[in-house]
């Protein structure tokens, strides 16, 4: 229900519901439950959408600690939160932190589900964006092309992740004037 409000831009209503859900989760499943971590991530993502990264980061960090402690450091959920944190760093133009964090996520996903999985390709796209921002376009191009190849093989040709990757690559070429 909170997600419906968040998706329609009703962030105050959504936040209230998420906060209520967090209180319930803490009582029912505990303060160190992966269920709670999921709710924390949902609230953090809403704050990120509402352009409130200062509220999102501590929620992601709390969720990350829970997932690492309960599911282990190599779990996919850990990788997902690391990617979210890395993306927040990227949006704050903290590129070194972004690169380090996204690389941690990619390392986890490279092992499982593997380098030919869309989840890995998407994280690689986020790393490519960091490379573009730090003027390492050759590295970015390699990641874009590898990721697009995986996405083309695994997703529908009209999937938004694939079309977004193609658009980002085209934008990089346009900015470098390499048509």
């Amino acid at each position: 229900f909170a997600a419906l409000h968040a998706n329609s831009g009703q962030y105050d209503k959504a936040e209230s519901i998420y906060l209520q859900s967090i209180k319930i989760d803490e009582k029912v499943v505990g303060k160190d439950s992966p269920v709670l971590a999921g709710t924390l991530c949902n609230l953090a993502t809403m704050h990120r959408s509402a352009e409130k990264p200062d509220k999102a980061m501590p929620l992601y960090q709390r969720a990350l600690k829970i997932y690492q402690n309960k599911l282990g450091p190599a779990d996919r959920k850990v990788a997902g939160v690391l990617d979210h944190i890395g993306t927040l760093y990227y949006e704050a133009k903290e590129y070194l932190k972004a690169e380090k964090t996204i690389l941690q996520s990619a390392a986890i996903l490279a092992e499982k589900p593997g380098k030919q999985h869309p989840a890995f390709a998407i994280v690689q796209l986020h790393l490519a964006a960091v490379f573009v921002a730090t003027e390492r376009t050759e590295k970015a191009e390699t990641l874009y092309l590898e990721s697009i190849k995986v996405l083309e093989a695994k997703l529908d040709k009209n999937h938004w992740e694939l079309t977004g990757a193609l658009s980002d690559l085209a934008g990089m070429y346009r900015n470098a004037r390499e048509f």
Side-chain angles (χ1 to χ4, degrees):
F1 194 62
L4 292 173
H5 288 296
N7 291 339
S8 64
Q10 298 175 0
Y11 298 120
D12 290 339
K13 287 182 181 180
E15 181 177 27
S16 175
I17 295 167
Y18 280 130
L19 291 173
Q20 183 179 6
S21 180
I22 288 168
K23 285 181 183 179
I24 294 167
D25 287 349
E26 288 175 339
K27 280 184 177 180
V28 175
V29 295
K31 292 186 177 191
D32 62 348
S33 169
V35 172
L36 172 63
T39 306
L40 293 167
C41 284
N42 290 338
L43 178 56
T45 301
M46 186 214 68
H47 283 311
R48 186 171 158 233
S49 296
E51 298 181 12
K52 295 180 182 178
D54 53 318
K55 287 188 167 188
M57 184 63 83
L59 294 166
Y60 281 135
Q61 290 170 333
R62 184 176 169 200
L64 177 63
K65 285 180 185 176
I66 293 169
Y67 282 144
Q68 287 173 325
N69 290 334
K70 290 296 180 177
L71 304 178
D75 191 85
R76 254 181 99 170
K77 290 188 183 284
V78 170
V81 178
L82 286 168
D83 186 50
H84 286 304
I85 291 171
T87 302
L88 276 177
Y89 285 137
Y90 168 79
E91 291 168 351
K93 298 183 180 0
E94 294 184 51
Y95 299 125
L96 290 175
K97 289 180 180 179
E99 181 176 347
K100 179 182 173 189
T101 309
I102 295 169
L103 280 169
Q104 289 176 310
S105 177
I108 293 167
L109 294 173
E111 293 299 315
K112 186 177 180 183
K115 292 183 178 182
Q116 298 304 311
H117 193 277
F120 178 79
I122 291 164
V123 169
Q124 292 289 85
L125 292 172
H126 297 162
L127 186 58
V130 172
F131 288 157
V132 169
T134 55
E135 299 180 7
R136 294 180 281 170
T137 54
E138 287 183 23
K139 284 186 172 187
E141 180 183 34
T142 299
L143 292 178
Y144 279 130
L145 294 172
E146 289 173 0
S147 296
I148 288 167
K149 184 177 177 181
V150 170
L151 295 175
E152 285 176 333
K154 303 290 183 174
L155 302 178
D156 181 79
K157 68 179 181 175
N158 296 316
H159 193 280
W160 64 275
E161 289 286 3
L162 176 58
T163 59
L166 291 166
S167 178
D168 289 346
L169 177 62
M172 185 191 78
Y173 286 150
R174 180 193 66 235
N175 292 337
R177 306 219 185 280
E178 297 177 14
F179 308 131

